[in-house]
Amino acid sequence: MSSLPTSALTKLEAKATSDAQADSASDAALEATPKRSLKSPLGEFDLIERYFKRHTGVHTTFSQPTVVLGIGDDCALLSSTPGHHWAVSTDSMVEGRHFFPDVDPVHLGHKALAVNLSDLAACGATPRCFTLGLTLPHVDESWLSGFSEGLFALADQYGCVLVGGDTTQGPLNIAITVMGEVPQGQALRRSGARVGDDLWVSGTLGDARLGLEALLGERRLSPQALQYAQHRLECPTPRVALGLALRGLASSAMDLSDGLLGDLGHLLKSSGLGAQIETHWIDGESQAISPWLQALSLDDRRSLVLSGGDDYELLFTTPVSARDAVLAMSREMSTPLTRIGVMVPGHSLRVLDAQGHEVKIQQHSYEHFS
Ligand code: ADP
Ligand code: MG
């Protein structure tokens, strides 16, 4: 977003002052209730101290040189690595919208950070630190203990330090802002794909959606299939190492959160190109399709893989000359990387079966407010 000129900012601030005066009556009512109270023996600050503040020295192996000052002051202080840009992203998770009320808090803590780290991965950035905006309906210590366990287990894996946040009372909502660094000029973007580039995805697609449909009661799965799909839904693996390895190799990249076709549409728009997806990797045996999906009908499989969300895999393009390098990387990292199509001139996204017939897909991807 472009920044506003100073005159506009002055007007905005003046408006804020008059709004504040107009609202003074309701403010007075608000003042009467203690703003900080989470209505529990454990107050806001004790809660932060107990579950989110970690004391220096304990986690020295993960100490992050960019973090000068962490939790406890009005601001965190970060120092930049020379020659690097900050990569910053926020993702919120709202109860009932992004997760079920009874989800295991350990998984929720993991996923809240994982979806943010996935954005850093998509840009090829190294995770450094994050902030946590936590809105809780009430203080539930066993929930907090599980949530912070899942959160920090993943944070420690990437040396990503919690440097601050906000804690308030209200419907359960978790907003994380993650910060990473990337050498100047090397960030992966959605906009760099060229005509003829190969289109790739990491991991397996459609599993999270399979798990969601099973949990919603729309689909019956064997206990093993359910366990697998639910784990993929609740505990996605951010592809941070892959994102770093793709720097200098991929012409464009993004992470898949809302479904392959819809997300690919964003990459195409940014790159000003079209794409052709071939379905042989969905229809036949491939490393991009888990055995649990292989067991489903062709239509089911196509719909889950092409439109199912919450995969948090990477979608990226590389020039054809990099094909062997990508396949070697896949072997070295033990991460499936599957070529799914090609970038073409124009603006359309076509899905073709083995006979070259166009495959029609009903729902493209998830969108809020639609
Ligand atoms: P302020 O009112 O000055 O914004 P707060 O009183 O809300 O600060 O928070 C006190 C300190 O605790 C700050 O350093 C803040 O970043 C940190 N903090 C608050 N909530 C969280 C949280 N959920 N996770 C991590 N740090 C938090
Ligand atoms: Mg303050």
Side-chain angles (χ1 to χ4, degrees):
M1 196 173 22
S2 61
S3 54
L4 288 165
T6 317
S7 58
L9 285 177
T10 311
K11 275 187 208 151
L12 275 178
E13 287 179 15
K15 183 177 179 312
T17 309
S18 64
D19 285 353
Q21 283 159 354
D23 284 350
S24 58
S26 53
D27 275 359
L30 272 178
E31 292 287 323
T33 45
K35 182 178 159 231
R36 296 272 173 211
S37 166
L38 279 164
K39 295 196 186 78
S40 126
L42 190 68
E44 175 190 346
F45 300 107
D46 298 332
L47 181 159
I48 297 165
E49 182 74 25
R50 186 168 306 173
Y51 294 103
F52 298 110
K53 185 165 176 179
R54 304 168 97 205
H55 298 276
T56 28
V58 180
H59 297 279
T60 42
T61 43
F62 302 116
S63 73
Q64 189 51 258
T66 55
V67 178
V68 177
L69 183 64
I71 293 177
D73 219 301
D74 290 303
C75 293
L77 296 177
L78 308 178
S79 87
S80 315
T81 307
H84 286 60
H85 281 149
W86 283 104
V88 179
S89 178
T90 300
D91 259 316
S92 306
M93 302 211 344
V94 178
E95 184 182 76
R97 170 62 56 173
H98 299 101
F99 58 91
F100 294 107
D102 62 351
V103 69
D104 182 339
V106 179
H107 293 178
L108 191 59
H110 172 100
K111 185 164 178 177
L113 182 59
V115 302
N116 278 278
L117 290 174
S118 175
D119 285 319
L120 290 185
C123 292
T126 305
R128 300 290 190 216
C129 57
F130 67 107
T131 60
L132 170 66
L134 197 56
T135 307
L136 303 169
H138 53 264
V139 175
D140 173 343
E141 290 212 51
S142 98
W143 186 92
L144 278 163
S145 162
F147 178 82
S148 70
E149 180 192 325
L151 182 82
F152 284 120
L154 186 65
D156 289 351
Q157 225 177 304
Y158 292 101
C160 195
V161 179
L162 178 58
V163 295
D166 195 31
T167 307
T168 47
Q169 189 168 25
L172 184 55
N173 184 323
I174 302 146
I176 287 183
T177 296
V178 78
M179 285 150 271
E181 283 188 303
V182 56
Q184 282 173 21
Q186 290 186 37
L188 302 173
R189 301 177 184 210
R190 297 177 177 186
S191 55
R194 303 272 183 94
V195 171
D197 280 358
D198 287 330
L199 197 52
W200 304 82
V201 291
S202 67
T204 58
L205 301 190
D207 304 328
R209 178 77 202 190
L210 180 69
L212 178 66
E213 291 183 2
L215 292 178
L216 287 170
E218 295 171 358
R219 206 183 264 284
R220 286 178 66 84
L221 296 179
S222 69
Q224 299 95 314
L226 177 62
Q227 192 187 24
Y228 169 82
Q230 186 172 355
H231 193 262
R232 290 278 293 155
L233 173 69
E234 294 177 358
C235 296
T237 305
R239 297 292 187 184
V240 175
L242 176 61
L244 296 180
L246 287 174
R247 289 202 308 228
L249 193 65
S251 48
S252 71
M254 69 181 298
D255 71 327
L256 292 173
S257 50
D258 295 332
L260 174 60
L261 293 186
D263 284 336
L264 175 56
H266 299 306
L267 188 143
L268 298 184
K269 200 168 171 200
S270 297
S271 289
L273 290 179
Q276 265 180 29
I277 305 267
E278 300 129 24
T279 57
H280 61 83
W281 61 280
I282 308 173
D283 302 347
E285 261 186 42
S286 102
Q287 54 175 0
I289 313 295
S290 67
W292 309 109
L293 255 80
Q294 303 266 5
L296 303 177
S297 75
L298 196 63
D299 278 353
D300 250 9
R301 219 184 305 163
R302 284 179 179 174
S303 139
L304 289 170
V305 169
L306 294 170
S307 322
D310 263 355
D311 288 317
Y312 299 101
E313 294 294 346
L314 293 189
L315 171 70
F316 60 96
T317 59
T318 57
V320 176
S321 58
R323 205 173 279 179
D324 289 342
V326 174
L327 294 173
M329 185 187 291
S330 171
R331 285 189 297 274
E332 272 162 38
M333 302 180 82
S334 303
T335 302
L337 298 176
T338 307
R339 197 159 57 86
I340 63 164
V342 61
M343 301 298 291
V344 299
H347 298 286
S348 54
L349 168 54
R350 301 207 307 153
V351 182
L352 303 176
D353 68 15
Q355 287 72 45
H357 298 134
E358 191 150 346
V359 175
K360 289 274 169 241
I361 305 294
Q362 291 286 310
Q363 187 207 350
H364 268 207
S365 85
Y366 185 79
E367 238 183 276
H368 292 275
F369 307 114
S370 62

